[in-house]
Amino acid sequence: MSAASPVSLRPPPSGYAEWLVDLKGRIHTAQQRAALAVNRELVGLYWHIGSEILARQAKQGWGARVIDRLAQDLRSAFPDMKGFSPRNLKYMRAFAQAWPEPEFVQQVAAQLPWFHLCTLLDKLKTRAERDWYLVQAVEHNWSRNVLAIQIETRLKDRSGTALTNFDARLPKPQSDLARESLKDPYRLDFLGLGKEAEERDIESALVQHITQFLLELGAGFAYVGRQVHVEVGGDDFFIDLLFYHLKLRCYVVVEIKAGKFKPEHLGQLGFYLTAVDAQIKSEHDGATIGLLLCKTKNKVVAEYALRDSSRPMGIAEYQLIESLPTTLQTSLPSIEQIEQELTDGGEEEQE
C-alpha cells in the first residue's frame, strides 16, 4: 500500500476551503456556459442548413432526393462530424420551416438542446403549441423525457383550468400565478390504482410516488408532509397532503375525495386552511390556498360553492387511468427512429 502524499496530510491554510468552493463554482459555471455556447452554434448551424434546403427546393425545384445526396456529401466532407444523416437533415428542414425567424431561433430556441427541439417537431403540429412547450422547457429546465411526458399528457390544455375563486380571494398578480399553478384534470394513472380506489389508498400511493406527483403538480411545489397533524380546541385533525409553493410563497393544502364533489367538502378544506394560517405559516408567507381533488364534479355546483367560500380554493378532478387522447403525430420520422439511427449507424446524439 503506497504512502499517502505529504500534501494530502497537511492541513489546508486558512481560507483555502472557501476559496476551493468558489473555484469549483466558477469552473462549473464556465462549463455550463461553454456547453450552452456549443449548443447555440449547433442549433444555429442546423437552422441555416434547413433554411438553405427549403429555399433551394422552392426556388430551383429540387426534389426530396437532394437530401440523400447532401447527406452523403456532407458525411464525406466531414467524416468526424455527426448529425448529417438524411433523417436529421429532414429535421433541420422542418426546424427552419417551423421557426422561420432567425432572431427567435437565436434568442429562444437555441436555449434548448437539438433533440428537445426535435421532440417538439415530432409530437406537436402547431406553432402555438410548440412555442408554449418550448418556453416552459426553457423556464423549468426540463429534460427531454420530462418534455415528452408533459406533451403526451397535454399539459398546455390542462394548465390553469381548475375551478377557483382566486380572483376574488387573492390580490393580483398572486391570483393569476395561483390559478396557472393548478390544472384540471390531474393525471394520476402512474399510481396503478383502479377506478374505485379509496381516499387513503390514493393518498398513500401519491406519497410513494411523490416524485411523479410533484412533476404532475408542476413547477414550484415542494412536499411538506402527509396526514399533517393540527390541534384545534383540544381536538386532533389531520391534513391529507401539505405542500409549499416556492413561487407563491405559501402553503398549499391538498384534500382528496374519492367520490363526487359535494359543497360540504369545501367547509372541511377551509377549516384546514385557517388552521395552517394560524399554526404553521409564518408572517412572511402568503395566505394558504387549498386544492380539492375529487373523482368527478358538477361544474355549476362547484362554482356556487366556491362563491360562498371566503378562503382561496380550487377544485379539480383526478384520473386514475389513462383517458387523455394521444397527441397526433407529424409525418416526420419519430424521434426514436432518428436516435436509433444516430446511435447504431455511427452517429451519436448531439445533446
Side-chain angles (χ1 to χ4, degrees):
M1 186 173 182
S2 61
S5 168
V7 174
S8 65
L9 296 177
R10 297 172 186 169
S14 175
Y16 177 84
E18 294 79 5
W19 178 55
L20 180 60
V21 170
D22 179 67
L23 282 181
K24 288 179 178 179
R26 289 175 180 270
I27 293 171
H28 181 64
T29 299
Q31 289 175 326
Q32 289 182 318
R33 289 177 176 172
L36 182 59
V38 170
N39 181 72
R40 286 182 182 275
E41 288 297 322
L42 179 67
V43 170
L45 172 65
Y46 283 0
W47 182 87
H48 179 77
I49 293 174
S51 297
E52 287 285 313
I53 293 173
L54 281 174
R56 292 178 182 276
Q57 284 185 326
K59 293 180 180 179
Q60 301 181 26
W62 291 353
R65 290 187 177 181
V66 72
I67 291 181
D68 295 328
R69 174 64 182 269
L70 181 62
Q72 181 180 344
D73 290 339
L74 289 177
R75 282 168 156 173
S76 298
F78 303 97
D80 296 328
M81 189 171 182
K82 313 302 180 183
F84 291 139
S85 70
R87 290 186 185 276
N88 212 32
L89 289 174
K90 289 176 183 177
Y91 269 103
M92 296 178 203
R93 181 180 61 185
F95 176 45
Q97 192 170 33
W99 290 287
E101 309 89 352
E103 298 81 7
F104 182 85
V105 172
Q106 294 167 6
Q107 297 173 13
V108 183
Q111 295 183 61
L112 287 183
W114 172 242
F115 273 79
H116 280 60
L117 298 170
C118 290
T119 298
L120 295 173
L121 295 170
D122 190 41
K123 294 184 176 294
L124 299 168
K125 301 190 73 173
T126 69
R127 171 69 185 265
E129 288 181 315
R130 288 167 176 163
D131 284 359
W132 190 89
Y133 283 99
L134 189 157
V135 170
Q136 296 295 314
V138 170
E139 180 180 352
H140 302 303
N141 196 28
W142 288 340
S143 69
R144 187 165 51 79
N145 285 338
V146 170
L147 171 61
I149 290 171
Q150 302 291 27
I151 293 173
E152 290 165 4
T153 60
R154 302 178 67 86
L155 176 65
K156 181 178 183 295
D157 297 336
R158 298 185 292 128
S159 295
T161 56
L163 290 175
T164 74
N165 60 2
F166 293 157
D167 286 343
R169 301 292 179 259
L170 294 173
K172 287 186 176 295
Q174 187 183 20
S175 60
D176 294 333
L177 179 57
R179 186 176 61 253
E180 288 303 314
S181 297
L182 302 187
K183 62 186 69 165
D184 188 23
Y186 283 85
R187 184 175 175 269
L188 309 181
D189 61 307
F190 57 84
L191 300 180
L193 299 176
K195 291 183 179 180
E196 305 306 320
E198 297 294 329
E199 294 165 11
R200 191 57 59 89
D201 295 331
I202 298 172
E203 177 190 319
S204 298
L206 287 175
V207 174
Q208 292 173 9
H209 299 81
I210 192 63
T211 300
Q212 288 173 281
F213 186 43
L214 285 171
L215 176 61
E216 175 61 13
L217 284 175
F221 282 88
Y223 176 63
V224 176
R226 171 198 175 197
Q227 289 295 302
V228 177
H229 173 253
V230 290
E231 182 181 335
V232 180
D235 291 339
D236 295 320
F237 300 90
F238 298 89
I239 298 169
D240 283 354
L241 296 166
L242 184 63
F243 295 86
Y244 190 84
H245 199 283
L246 301 176
K247 290 186 177 180
L248 291 169
R249 299 290 179 185
C250 71
Y251 286 95
V252 181
V253 173
V254 177
E255 282 292 300
I256 303 168
K257 299 300 177 184
K260 186 176 181 180
F261 167 75
K262 297 179 181 178
E264 53 262 37
H265 293 159
L266 293 189
Q268 179 187 23
L269 181 57
F271 174 80
Y272 288 151
L273 299 187
T274 300
V276 171
D277 278 348
Q279 300 183 23
I280 299 178
K281 93 175 187 71
S282 73
E283 60 180 339
H284 304 294
D285 296 324
T288 304
I289 66 176
L291 171 61
L292 184 74
L293 290 178
C294 54
K295 187 175 181 181
T296 60
K297 67 178 182 297
N298 181 307
K299 184 176 180 181
V300 176
V301 172
E303 289 175 342
Y304 272 52
L306 282 171
R307 285 186 207 172
D308 289 338
S309 175
S310 61
R311 310 289 303 188
M313 290 185 274
I315 305 169
E317 296 178 357
Y318 63 80
Q319 295 176 337
L320 291 175
I321 60 173
E322 173 122 24
S323 58
L324 294 174
T326 303
T327 305
L328 295 176
Q329 299 292 316
T330 69
S331 58
L332 284 168
S334 71
I335 189 71
E336 290 78 13
Q337 289 175 317
I338 187 173
E339 282 187 320
Q340 189 69 30
E341 178 179 299
L342 292 184
T343 302
D344 298 340
E347 296 193 32
E348 298 176 353
E349 176 180 334
Q350 300 189 42
E351 277 201 83

